[in-house]
Amino acid sequence: MSGVRRRRAARSTALAFGLLAGAAAAQETAPRPATETALAPAFDDTDDARAAFRKGSELAKQGKWLDALAAFRKSAELRPHPVTTYDIAYSERALGHYVQAFVEFRAALAPPSSPGAPVLSEELAAQARGYLTDVERGVARMDVTWLPSDRALRVDGLPVISLGEVDGTEVYGIARAPGEFPRPPLRFSLWLDPGNHVFVVTGSDGRERVQSHSAREGSSGSLLLDVAVPPAAAEPAPVVVAPPPSPDRTAAYVSFGVAGAALVFSAVFAELSLHEMRGLDSDPRCSGSICPDEPHYRDQESRLRTDADLATMGLAVGLAAGAAGAYFWFTATPPKEARGRRLGVGAFVGPGSAGLRGSF
């Protein structure tokens, strides 16, 4: 709530509560005051109207303005009375509905429709005139212009209706409920409650143009509804160029792994073979690489040849696997292109042979 509204509420709440309570008490005790005249038992719904009025008064004292407003409106529907209209206006004002509060305060102050009809007391009428001026100052005024070819205009989803003349100028406001109402002129003065409002114009082609406007308390301005406010242009989504997929070099890594293992294998058995050879060369009984024909020397010579053969085969496998790894590295394709292909690489070592075994 703005500072102006807080001051207004503080200034008038106490007096309003007194008036509400006084009006309710008048219905029960005073000898046919204005309230009692309006709620005289001429219809069966009089008791319901009184009950709704009293309920609204109690809710207003508790600051439950929405519920109080509903109760006062129900009472007015059952049995209209200027005091009830006054309380409806006061509840609308408390809710910040300045336009409707202006309409209701003016209705409460209207001259009686027939001789003897109930009217506000002088004190209550003076208070209503003060509030009428107060809410009129809080209304936001907007000079609205739209096209002759437009079919309909809605504000906040509701039609625009005439509120009557104010100081010689016909003013318009937002209807309380949907319905069929006369078309407002091409240029008119629109009264709005403070806050955000959405204007929707239906053009001759059936398309809708939408504009939004924020109205401040007591502000004034103009609004041209001849063109639609385009929605914020969506920035084109940035084109993200994905880097090319990395080649699938799994086969190359496997081959290099096999090559490394084979070369280590070869180095180990080469060292074992050299160890056996150094042992024989250092043996004084062996001369010119010829050793005695004894089981010990025959076993040592057999181990030397086996180790040498394994070292040679390991070297061959390592070289072959390294060559295959280099081939797979430079010919690798991205995973999408290689999808569905199954690749396996393995080494084999056998008597007198060694190599790579693959499946594609």
Side-chain angles (χ1 to χ4, degrees):
M1 179 183 292
S2 67
V4 174
R5 290 174 58 189
R6 283 196 297 270
R7 290 193 297 271
R8 293 170 180 164
R11 188 173 63 246
S12 57
T13 299
L15 180 57
F17 288 160
L19 292 171
L20 291 171
Q27 295 177 31
E28 297 180 353
T29 61
R32 296 186 64 79
T35 305
E36 186 67 21
T37 301
L39 300 181
F43 298 92
D44 295 337
D45 57 12
T46 300
D47 290 340
D48 291 337
R50 281 201 186 93
F53 183 89
R54 291 167 183 159
K55 179 180 179 182
S57 300
E58 291 301 321
L59 291 169
K61 293 175 185 178
Q62 300 171 30
K64 298 179 180 179
W65 295 111
L66 275 175
D67 296 333
L69 177 61
F72 287 135
R73 287 201 178 279
K74 179 179 179 181
S75 177
E77 289 173 1
L78 294 173
R79 194 68 168 160
H81 192 282
V83 172
T84 310
T85 305
Y86 171 93
D87 289 330
I88 290 173
Y90 190 90
S91 300
E92 295 279 16
R93 174 183 177 274
L95 291 168
H97 303 163
Y98 293 161
V99 177
Q100 192 60 37
F102 179 87
V103 172
E104 301 292 350
F105 276 126
R106 191 167 61 171
L109 291 167
S113 57
S114 60
V119 295
L120 295 178
S121 65
E122 292 184 4
E123 182 181 3
L124 207 56
Q127 195 71 26
R129 284 190 290 269
Y131 290 144
L132 186 68
T133 302
D134 188 59
V135 295
E136 186 177 358
R137 283 197 298 262
V139 167
R141 294 167 172 80
M142 185 65 52
D143 290 329
V144 178
T145 303
W146 58 319
L147 300 179
S149 58
D150 290 331
R151 297 181 183 175
L153 168 63
R154 299 188 306 280
V155 182
D156 300 337
L158 294 170
V160 173
I161 62 172
S162 174
L163 303 180
E165 288 192 2
V166 178
D167 298 330
T169 302
E170 186 172 16
V171 298
Y172 289 78
I174 304 173
R176 290 175 51 200
E180 295 295 331
F181 300 96
R183 172 192 173 98
L186 300 182
R187 181 180 175 86
F188 61 93
S189 177
L190 179 66
W191 282 19
L192 297 169
D193 293 327
N196 295 320
H197 301 276
V198 178
F199 295 75
V200 179
V201 179
T202 304
S204 57
D205 55 359
R207 297 182 180 180
E208 293 184 340
R209 306 193 306 273
V210 181
Q211 290 192 34
S212 60
H213 179 76
S214 179
R216 292 179 290 105
E217 183 174 322
S219 64
S220 60
S222 59
L223 185 62
L224 187 61
L225 300 175
D226 61 338
V227 294
V229 175
E235 296 184 2
V239 178
V240 179
V241 180
S246 301
D248 184 3
R249 292 193 169 99
T250 304
Y253 295 136
V254 172
S255 297
F256 289 143
V258 172
L263 292 176
V264 172
F265 177 89
S266 175
V268 170
F269 282 98
E271 178 61 27
L272 292 174
S273 175
L274 291 174
H275 176 74
E276 297 292 346
M277 183 180 294
R278 286 193 295 267
L280 292 175
D281 289 343
S282 62
D283 194 325
R285 299 182 63 190
C286 296
S287 176
S289 302
I290 298 175
C291 298
D293 187 13
E294 296 177 1
H296 168 70
Y297 291 106
R298 287 197 299 271
D299 291 343
Q300 196 169 359
E301 290 175 350
S302 175
R303 289 196 300 272
L304 187 152
R305 288 191 297 269
T306 301
D307 291 344
D309 289 342
L310 291 175
T312 301
M313 288 187 291
L315 178 61
V317 170
L319 294 175
Y327 171 79
F328 291 139
W329 181 272
F330 292 109
T331 61
T333 57
K336 291 183 179 180
E337 297 180 18
R339 187 174 297 169
R341 297 166 53 187
R342 301 185 63 183
L343 174 63
V345 179
F348 68 90
V349 178
S353 63
L356 292 175
R357 179 184 297 112
S359 61
F360 300 88

Coordinates of all heavy atoms in Angstrom, one line a residue, residues 139-205:
V139 N -7.4 7.8 -8.8 CA -7.7 7.1 -10.1 C -6.6 7.4 -11.1 O -6.1 8.6 -11.2 CB -9.1 7.5 -10.6 CG1 -9.2 7.0 -12.1 CG2 -10.1 6.8 -9.8
A140 N -6.2 6.5 -11.9 CA -5.3 6.7 -13.1 C -6.1 7.0 -14.3 O -7.0 6.2 -14.6 CB -4.3 5.5 -13.3
R141 N -5.8 8.1 -15.0 CA -6.6 8.4 -16.2 C -5.8 8.2 -17.5 O -4.6 8.6 -17.5 CB -7.0 9.9 -16.1 CG -8.0 10.2 -15.0 CD -8.1 11.7 -14.8 NE -9.2 12.1 -13.8 CZ -9.1 12.0 -12.5 NH1 -7.9 11.6 -12.0 NH2 -10.1 12.3 -11.7
M142 N -6.4 7.6 -18.4 CA -5.7 7.2 -19.7 C -6.6 7.6 -20.9 O -7.7 7.2 -20.9 CB -5.4 5.7 -19.7 CG -4.6 5.3 -20.9 SD -2.9 6.0 -20.8 CE -2.4 5.6 -19.2
D143 N -6.1 8.5 -21.7 CA -6.8 8.8 -23.0 C -6.5 7.7 -24.0 O -5.3 7.6 -24.5 CB -6.4 10.2 -23.5 CG -6.9 11.3 -22.6 OD1 -7.9 11.1 -22.0 OD2 -6.2 12.3 -22.5
V144 N -7.4 6.9 -24.3 CA -7.2 5.7 -25.2 C -7.8 6.0 -26.6 O -8.9 6.6 -26.7 CB -7.9 4.5 -24.6 CG1 -7.8 3.3 -25.5 CG2 -7.4 4.2 -23.2
T145 N -7.0 5.6 -27.6 CA -7.4 5.8 -29.0 C -7.2 4.4 -29.7 O -6.2 3.8 -29.5 CB -6.5 6.8 -29.7 OG1 -6.6 8.1 -29.0 CG2 -7.0 7.0 -31.2
W146 N -8.3 4.0 -30.4 CA -8.2 2.8 -31.2 C -8.8 3.0 -32.6 O -9.3 4.1 -32.9 CB -8.8 1.6 -30.4 CG -10.3 1.8 -30.0 CD1 -10.9 2.9 -29.6 CD2 -11.2 0.7 -30.1 NE1 -12.2 2.6 -29.3 CE2 -12.5 1.3 -29.6 CE3 -11.2 -0.6 -30.4 CZ2 -13.6 0.6 -29.5 CZ3 -12.4 -1.4 -30.3 CH2 -13.6 -0.8 -29.9
L147 N -8.8 1.9 -33.4 CA -9.1 2.1 -34.8 C -10.6 1.9 -35.1 O -11.2 1.0 -34.4 CB -8.3 1.1 -35.7 CG -6.8 1.2 -35.6 CD1 -6.1 0.2 -36.5 CD2 -6.3 2.6 -36.0
P148 N -11.2 2.6 -36.1 CA -12.6 2.4 -36.4 C -12.9 0.9 -36.9 O -14.0 0.4 -36.7 CB -12.8 3.4 -37.5 CG -11.7 4.4 -37.4 CD -10.6 3.7 -36.9
S149 N -11.9 0.3 -37.5 CA -12.1 -1.1 -38.0 C -12.0 -2.1 -36.9 O -12.3 -3.3 -37.2 CB -11.1 -1.3 -39.1 OG -9.8 -1.2 -38.6
D150 N -11.6 -1.8 -35.7 CA -11.4 -2.8 -34.7 C -12.8 -3.2 -34.2 O -13.7 -2.4 -34.1 CB -10.6 -2.2 -33.5 CG -9.2 -2.0 -33.9 OD1 -8.7 -2.8 -34.7 OD2 -8.5 -1.1 -33.3
R151 N -12.9 -4.5 -33.9 CA -14.1 -5.1 -33.5 C -14.4 -4.9 -32.0 O -15.6 -4.7 -31.6 CB -14.2 -6.6 -33.9 CG -14.1 -6.9 -35.3 CD -14.2 -8.4 -35.5 NE -14.0 -8.7 -36.9 CZ -13.9 -10.0 -37.4 NH1 -14.0 -11.0 -36.5 NH2 -13.8 -10.2 -38.7
A152 N -13.4 -5.2 -31.2 CA -13.7 -5.2 -29.7 C -12.4 -4.8 -29.0 O -11.3 -4.9 -29.5 CB -14.1 -6.6 -29.3
L153 N -12.7 -4.3 -27.8 CA -11.6 -3.9 -26.9 C -11.9 -4.5 -25.5 O -13.0 -4.4 -25.0 CB -11.5 -2.4 -26.8 CG -10.6 -1.8 -25.7 CD1 -9.1 -2.3 -25.9 CD2 -10.7 -0.3 -25.6
R154 N -10.9 -5.2 -24.9 CA -11.0 -5.7 -23.6 C -9.8 -5.2 -22.8 O -8.7 -5.1 -23.3 CB -11.1 -7.2 -23.6 CG -12.3 -7.8 -24.3 CD -12.4 -9.3 -24.1 NE -11.1 -10.0 -24.5 CZ -10.8 -10.3 -25.7 NH1 -11.5 -10.0 -26.7 NH2 -9.6 -11.0 -25.9
V155 N -10.0 -4.9 -21.6 CA -9.0 -4.6 -20.6 C -9.0 -5.6 -19.5 O -10.0 -5.7 -18.8 CB -9.1 -3.1 -20.1 CG1 -7.9 -2.8 -19.2 CG2 -9.2 -2.2 -21.3
D156 N -7.9 -6.2 -19.3 CA -7.8 -7.3 -18.2 C -8.9 -8.3 -18.4 O -9.4 -8.9 -17.5 CB -7.9 -6.7 -16.8 CG -6.8 -5.6 -16.5 OD1 -5.8 -5.7 -17.2 OD2 -7.0 -4.8 -15.7
G157 N -9.2 -8.6 -19.7 CA -10.1 -9.6 -20.0 C -11.6 -9.2 -19.9 O -12.5 -10.1 -20.2
L158 N -11.9 -8.0 -19.6 CA -13.3 -7.5 -19.5 C -13.6 -6.4 -20.4 O -12.7 -5.6 -20.8 CB -13.5 -7.1 -18.0 CG -13.4 -8.2 -17.0 CD1 -13.4 -7.7 -15.6 CD2 -14.6 -9.2 -17.2
P159 N -14.9 -6.2 -20.7 CA -15.2 -5.0 -21.6 C -15.0 -3.7 -20.9 O -14.9 -3.6 -19.7 CB -16.7 -5.3 -21.9 CG -17.0 -6.6 -21.4 CD -16.0 -7.0 -20.4
V160 N -15.1 -2.7 -21.7 CA -15.0 -1.3 -21.2 C -16.4 -0.7 -21.3 O -17.1 -0.8 -22.3 CB -14.1 -0.4 -22.1 CG1 -14.1 1.0 -21.7 CG2 -12.6 -1.0 -22.0
I161 N -16.8 -0.1 -20.2 CA -18.2 0.4 -20.1 C -18.2 1.9 -19.7 O -17.2 2.4 -19.1 CB -19.1 -0.3 -19.1 CG1 -18.4 -0.2 -17.7 CG2 -19.2 -1.8 -19.5 CD1 -19.3 -0.8 -16.6
S162 N -19.2 2.6 -19.9 CA -19.3 4.0 -19.5 C -19.7 4.1 -18.0 O -20.5 3.4 -17.5 CB -20.4 4.7 -20.4 OG -20.6 6.0 -19.9
L163 N -19.0 5.0 -17.4 CA -19.2 5.3 -16.0 C -20.1 6.5 -15.8 O -20.4 6.9 -14.6 CB -17.9 5.4 -15.2 CG -16.9 4.2 -15.3 CD1 -15.7 4.5 -14.5 CD2 -17.6 3.0 -14.8
G164 N -20.4 7.2 -16.9 CA -21.2 8.4 -16.8 C -20.3 9.6 -16.9 O -19.1 9.5 -17.2
E165 N -20.9 10.8 -16.7 CA -20.1 12.0 -16.9 C -19.5 12.5 -15.6 O -20.1 12.3 -14.5 CB -21.0 13.1 -17.4 CG -21.4 13.0 -18.9 CD -22.0 14.2 -19.4 OE1 -22.2 15.2 -18.7 OE2 -22.4 14.2 -20.6
V166 N -18.3 12.9 -15.7 CA -17.6 13.5 -14.5 C -17.0 14.9 -15.0 O -16.2 15.0 -15.9 CB -16.4 12.6 -14.0 CG1 -15.7 13.3 -12.9 CG2 -16.9 11.3 -13.6
D167 N -17.5 15.9 -14.4 CA -17.1 17.3 -14.8 C -17.4 17.6 -16.3 O -16.5 18.2 -17.0 CB -15.7 17.6 -14.4 CG -15.4 17.5 -12.9 OD1 -16.3 17.8 -12.2 OD2 -14.3 17.1 -12.6
G168 N -18.5 17.0 -16.8 CA -18.9 17.3 -18.1 C -18.2 16.4 -19.2 O -18.5 16.5 -20.4
T169 N -17.4 15.4 -18.7 CA -16.7 14.5 -19.6 C -17.2 13.1 -19.3 O -17.1 12.7 -18.2 CB -15.2 14.6 -19.5 OG1 -14.8 16.0 -19.8 CG2 -14.5 13.7 -20.5
E170 N -17.6 12.4 -20.4 CA -17.9 11.0 -20.1 C -16.7 10.2 -19.9 O -15.7 10.2 -20.7 CB -18.7 10.4 -21.3 CG -19.3 9.0 -21.1 CD -20.2 8.5 -22.2 OE1 -20.2 9.2 -23.3 OE2 -20.9 7.6 -21.9
V171 N -16.7 9.4 -18.9 CA -15.5 8.5 -18.6 C -15.9 7.1 -18.6 O -17.1 6.7 -18.5 CB -14.9 8.9 -17.2 CG1 -14.5 10.3 -17.1 CG2 -16.0 8.6 -16.1
Y172 N -14.9 6.2 -18.9 CA -15.1 4.8 -19.0 C -14.3 4.1 -18.0 O -13.2 4.6 -17.5 CB -14.8 4.4 -20.4 CG -15.8 4.8 -21.5 CD1 -15.8 6.2 -21.9 CD2 -16.8 4.0 -22.0 CE1 -16.7 6.6 -22.9 CE2 -17.7 4.4 -22.9 CZ -17.7 5.7 -23.3 OH -18.6 6.2 -24.3
G173 N -14.7 2.9 -17.7 CA -14.0 2.0 -16.8 C -14.1 0.5 -17.2 O -14.8 0.2 -18.2
I174 N -13.5 -0.3 -16.5 CA -13.5 -1.8 -16.7 C -14.8 -2.3 -16.1 O -15.1 -2.1 -14.9 CB -12.3 -2.5 -16.2 CG1 -11.0 -1.8 -16.7 CG2 -12.3 -4.0 -16.5 CD1 -9.7 -2.4 -16.1
A175 N -15.5 -3.1 -16.9 CA -16.8 -3.7 -16.4 C -16.4 -4.7 -15.3 O -15.3 -5.3 -15.2 CB -17.5 -4.4 -17.5
R176 N -17.4 -4.9 -14.4 CA -17.2 -5.8 -13.3 C -17.3 -7.3 -13.7 O -16.8 -8.2 -13.0 CB -18.2 -5.6 -12.2 CG -17.9 -4.3 -11.4 CD -19.0 -4.0 -10.4 NE -19.2 -5.2 -9.6 CZ -20.4 -5.4 -8.9 NH1 -21.4 -4.5 -8.9 NH2 -20.5 -6.4 -8.1
A177 N -18.0 -7.5 -14.8 CA -18.2 -8.9 -15.3 C -18.3 -8.9 -16.8 O -18.6 -7.8 -17.4 CB -19.4 -9.5 -14.7
P178 N -18.1 -10.0 -17.5 CA -18.3 -10.0 -19.0 C -19.7 -9.7 -19.4 O -20.6 -9.9 -18.6 CB -17.9 -11.5 -19.3 CG -17.1 -12.0 -18.2 CD -17.6 -11.3 -17.0
G179 N -19.9 -9.3 -20.6 CA -21.2 -9.0 -21.0 C -21.2 -8.2 -22.3 O -20.1 -7.9 -22.9
E180 N -22.3 -7.9 -22.9 CA -22.4 -7.1 -24.1 C -22.7 -5.6 -23.7 O -23.7 -5.3 -23.1 CB -23.5 -7.6 -25.0 CG -23.3 -9.0 -25.5 CD -22.1 -9.1 -26.5 OE1 -21.8 -8.1 -27.1 OE2 -21.4 -10.1 -26.5
F181 N -21.8 -4.7 -24.1 CA -22.0 -3.3 -23.8 C -21.7 -2.5 -25.1 O -21.1 -3.0 -26.0 CB -20.9 -2.9 -22.7 CG -21.1 -3.7 -21.4 CD1 -20.3 -4.8 -21.2 CD2 -22.0 -3.3 -20.5 CE1 -20.4 -5.5 -20.0 CE2 -22.2 -4.0 -19.3 CZ -21.4 -5.1 -19.1
P182 N -22.2 -1.3 -25.1 CA -22.0 -0.4 -26.3 C -20.5 -0.2 -26.5 O -19.7 -0.1 -25.6 CB -22.7 0.9 -25.9 CG -23.8 0.5 -24.9 CD -23.1 -0.6 -24.1
R183 N -20.2 -0.1 -27.8 CA -18.8 0.1 -28.2 C -18.3 1.5 -27.7 O -19.0 2.5 -28.0 CB -18.6 0.0 -29.7 CG -17.3 0.4 -30.2 CD -17.4 0.5 -31.8 NE -16.2 1.0 -32.3 CZ -15.2 0.2 -32.8 NH1 -15.4 -1.1 -32.9 NH2 -14.1 0.8 -33.3
P184 N -17.2 1.6 -27.0 CA -16.7 3.0 -26.7 C -16.3 3.7 -27.9 O -16.0 3.2 -28.9 CB -15.5 2.7 -25.7 CG -15.1 1.3 -26.1 CD -16.3 0.6 -26.6
P185 N -16.2 5.1 -27.8 CA -15.8 5.9 -29.0 C -14.4 5.6 -29.3 O -13.6 4.9 -28.6 CB -16.0 7.3 -28.5 CG -16.0 7.2 -27.0 CD -16.6 5.9 -26.6
L186 N -14.0 6.1 -30.5 CA -12.6 5.9 -31.0 C -11.6 6.5 -30.0 O -10.4 6.1 -30.0 CB -12.4 6.4 -32.4 CG -13.3 5.8 -33.4 CD1 -13.0 6.4 -34.8 CD2 -13.1 4.3 -33.4
R187 N -12.0 7.6 -29.3 CA -11.1 8.2 -28.4 C -11.9 8.5 -27.1 O -13.0 9.1 -27.2 CB -10.5 9.5 -28.9 CG -9.6 10.2 -27.9 CD -9.0 11.5 -28.6 NE -8.2 12.3 -27.6 CZ -6.9 12.1 -27.4 NH1 -6.3 11.2 -28.1 NH2 -6.3 12.8 -26.5
F188 N -11.4 8.0 -26.0 CA -12.2 8.1 -24.8 C -11.3 8.1 -23.6 O -10.1 7.7 -23.6 CB -13.2 6.9 -24.6 CG -12.6 5.6 -24.5 CD1 -12.3 5.0 -23.3 CD2 -12.3 4.9 -25.7 CE1 -11.7 3.7 -23.2 CE2 -11.7 3.6 -25.6 CZ -11.4 3.0 -24.4
S189 N -11.8 8.6 -22.5 CA -11.0 8.7 -21.2 C -11.3 7.5 -20.4 O -12.5 7.2 -20.0 CB -11.4 10.0 -20.4 OG -10.8 10.0 -19.2
L190 N -10.3 6.7 -20.1 CA -10.4 5.5 -19.4 C -9.9 5.7 -18.0 O -8.7 6.1 -17.8 CB -9.7 4.3 -20.1 CG -9.7 3.0 -19.4 CD1 -11.2 2.4 -19.4 CD2 -8.8 2.0 -20.1
W191 N -10.7 5.3 -16.9 CA -10.2 5.4 -15.6 C -9.8 4.0 -15.1 O -10.5 3.0 -15.4 CB -11.3 5.9 -14.7 CG -11.6 7.3 -14.7 CD1 -11.1 8.2 -15.7 CD2 -12.2 8.1 -13.7 NE1 -11.5 9.5 -15.4 CE2 -12.2 9.5 -14.2 CE3 -12.9 7.9 -12.5 CZ2 -12.8 10.5 -13.5 CZ3 -13.5 8.9 -11.8 CH2 -13.4 10.2 -12.3
L192 N -8.6 3.9 -14.5 CA -8.0 2.6 -14.1 C -7.6 2.7 -12.7 O -7.2 3.7 -12.1 CB -6.8 2.3 -15.0 CG -7.1 2.1 -16.5 CD1 -5.7 2.0 -17.2 CD2 -7.9 0.8 -16.7
D193 N -7.6 1.5 -12.0 CA -7.0 1.4 -10.7 C -5.5 1.3 -10.9 O -5.0 0.8 -11.9 CB -7.5 0.1 -10.0 CG -9.0 0.2 -9.6 OD1 -9.5 1.3 -9.3 OD2 -9.7 -0.8 -9.7
P194 N -4.8 1.8 -9.9 CA -3.3 1.6 -10.0 C -2.9 0.2 -10.2 O -3.5 -0.7 -9.5 CB -2.8 2.2 -8.7 CG -3.9 3.1 -8.2 CD -5.2 2.5 -8.7
G195 N -1.9 -0.1 -11.0 CA -1.4 -1.4 -11.2 C -1.2 -1.7 -12.7 O -1.2 -0.8 -13.5
N196 N -0.9 -2.9 -13.0 CA -0.6 -3.3 -14.4 C -1.9 -3.8 -15.1 O -2.7 -4.5 -14.5 CB 0.4 -4.5 -14.4 CG 1.7 -4.0 -13.9 OD1 2.2 -2.9 -14.2 ND2 2.4 -4.9 -13.2
H197 N -2.1 -3.4 -16.4 CA -3.3 -3.7 -17.1 C -2.9 -4.2 -18.5 O -1.9 -3.7 -19.1 CB -4.2 -2.5 -17.2 CG -4.6 -1.9 -15.9 ND1 -5.7 -2.5 -15.2 CD2 -4.1 -0.9 -15.1 CE1 -5.8 -1.8 -14.0 NE2 -4.9 -0.9 -13.9
V198 N -3.7 -5.1 -19.0 CA -3.4 -5.6 -20.3 C -4.6 -5.3 -21.3 O -5.8 -5.5 -21.0 CB -3.3 -7.2 -20.3 CG1 -3.1 -7.7 -21.7 CG2 -2.1 -7.6 -19.4
F199 N -4.3 -4.6 -22.4 CA -5.3 -4.2 -23.4 C -5.2 -5.2 -24.6 O -4.1 -5.4 -25.1 CB -4.9 -2.8 -23.9 CG -5.1 -1.7 -22.9 CD1 -4.1 -1.6 -21.9 CD2 -6.2 -0.9 -22.9 CE1 -4.2 -0.6 -20.9 CE2 -6.3 0.1 -21.9 CZ -5.3 0.3 -20.9
V200 N -6.4 -5.7 -24.9 CA -6.5 -6.7 -26.0 C -7.5 -6.1 -27.0 O -8.7 -5.9 -26.7 CB -6.9 -8.1 -25.6 CG1 -7.0 -9.0 -26.8 CG2 -5.9 -8.6 -24.6
V201 N -7.0 -5.8 -28.2 CA -7.9 -5.3 -29.3 C -8.1 -6.4 -30.4 O -7.1 -6.9 -30.8 CB -7.3 -4.0 -29.9 CG1 -8.2 -3.5 -31.0 CG2 -7.1 -2.9 -28.9
T202 N -9.3 -6.7 -30.7 CA -9.6 -7.6 -31.8 C -9.8 -6.8 -33.1 O -10.7 -6.0 -33.2 CB -10.9 -8.4 -31.5 OG1 -10.7 -9.1 -30.2 CG2 -11.1 -9.5 -32.6
G203 N -8.9 -7.0 -34.1 CA -9.0 -6.3 -35.3 C -10.0 -6.8 -36.3 O -10.8 -7.8 -36.0
S204 N -10.1 -6.1 -37.4 CA -11.1 -6.5 -38.4 C -10.9 -7.9 -39.0 O -11.8 -8.6 -39.4 CB -11.1 -5.5 -39.6 OG -9.8 -5.4 -40.1
D205 N -9.6 -8.4 -38.9 CA -9.3 -9.7 -39.4 C -9.4 -10.8 -38.3 O -9.1 -11.9 -38.6 CB -7.9 -9.7 -40.0 CG -6.9 -9.2 -39.0 OD1 -7.3 -8.9 -37.9 OD2 -5.7 -9.2 -39.3

